[in-house]
Amino acid sequence: MASQTQQTLPTFWAQATHELAKRDLVMQRLITQFSDSALQSRGNAFVTLARAIIGQQISVKAAASTWQKLSMTLMEVTPAHLINTNTETLRSCGLSSRKIGYLQDLSRHFTDEGHDEAVWQKMSDEALISHLVQIRGIGRWTAEMFLIFYMQRPDILPVDDIGLQRAVSIHYNREQPIEKSMLQSIAINWRPWRTVATWYLWRSLDPIPVDY
């Protein structure tokens, strides 16, 4: 169970928050407001991908609830446990049939093929995203969550994320709907720390930090 609860802070966090606060007044306010928390990694690639799959197209609160039920049911969420748990039990945790299929496929991928951390570390952001989306159930958004939370890449901007779009609308566009092109333009000022800016914008929406 320890592998799922280990938390590590990005080495770049202090520099990123300092630079963002200097150049962006919204960021300065959010960084000050939420100075008691930061992006954390669980140090477990499978768990991060599984949590991101569960979080697809549902709220942070709903995803956290489903994960808690799954964790209590399996005791430890591992590829072997997921593969060996029947569909009805997984469905009772709040998982749809489609997500159960995705999680089982992910489990088989990790069991049969494994992964090479050293190879991942050498890949560029886009190359790693392209690699991950070959796994069934992992689209660009899920891959971006993996790059943010597990790989802790500093400059990821998940433009399709509904929470990010809503937060940018609130803080930068007087709560009016925002086009992706406008979001991308605003985010130019956050480079090379778009991951950090994204995390603080998410943090402004939910009482608990987003965590995959």
Side-chain angles (χ1 to χ4, degrees):
M1 201 72 172
S3 63
Q4 294 187 39
T5 56
Q6 175 187 356
Q7 302 279 309
T8 56
L9 184 70
T11 56
F12 56 78
W13 200 259
Q15 180 183 355
T17 53
H18 175 73
E19 292 182 9
L20 286 170
K22 282 180 64 176
R23 70 173 77 142
D24 186 306
L25 290 177
V26 171
M27 285 293 119
Q28 183 182 78
R29 176 167 53 80
L30 294 180
I31 289 166
T32 300
Q33 184 177 355
F34 300 108
S35 60
D36 61 334
S37 54
L39 170 67
Q40 302 285 317
S41 170
R42 294 175 177 275
N44 187 312
F46 175 78
V47 166
T48 296
L49 286 170
R51 289 180 72 105
I53 287 172
I54 289 172
Q56 291 171 0
Q57 299 180 324
I58 61 176
S59 70
V60 172
K61 184 178 180 180
S65 174
T66 299
W67 181 261
Q68 183 178 28
K69 290 175 185 175
L70 184 65
S71 297
M72 291 178 65
T73 299
L74 301 187
M75 299 302 291
E76 184 176 13
V77 183
T78 65
H81 285 175
L82 270 166
I83 289 171
N84 292 318
T85 302
N86 66 61
T87 299
E88 286 306 314
T89 299
L90 294 174
R91 190 175 286 119
S92 71
C93 298
L95 291 166
S96 66
S97 295
R98 183 174 64 177
K99 288 186 180 179
I100 289 170
Y102 290 165
L103 290 170
Q104 290 174 334
D105 281 356
L106 178 69
S107 298
R108 293 188 190 96
H109 179 87
F110 269 73
T111 300
D112 298 341
E113 300 180 32
H115 60 280
D116 191 331
E117 293 279 339
V119 172
W120 285 351
Q121 293 293 347
K122 292 176 183 177
M123 287 183 174
S124 68
D125 295 340
E126 287 302 321
L128 184 50
I129 288 170
S130 296
H131 172 73
L132 290 169
V133 298
Q134 302 305 310
I135 302 172
R136 180 171 174 261
I138 297 180
R140 184 177 181 89
W141 178 86
T142 304
E144 287 170 337
M145 296 306 103
F146 183 76
L147 265 65
I148 289 172
F149 287 94
Y150 180 74
M151 301 300 293
Q152 296 192 331
R153 295 290 175 91
D155 198 34
I156 304 300
L157 182 74
V159 293
D160 292 320
D161 186 84
I162 300 302
L164 176 61
Q165 293 174 9
R166 184 155 62 94
V168 172
S169 168
I170 292 169
H171 296 291
Y172 291 89
N173 202 39
R174 299 180 180 179
E175 301 195 25
Q176 297 303 305
I178 191 160
E179 298 288 335
K180 292 178 187 177
S181 58
M182 183 178 177
L183 192 161
Q184 289 170 321
S185 295
I186 292 169
I188 290 172
N189 192 40
W190 304 334
R191 285 179 169 172
W193 311 119
R194 290 180 296 178
T195 291
V196 182
T198 296
W199 187 89
Y200 278 104
L201 286 161
W202 280 333
R203 187 72 183 86
S204 73
L205 297 178
D206 291 292
I208 58 172
V210 178
D211 185 4
Y212 293 110

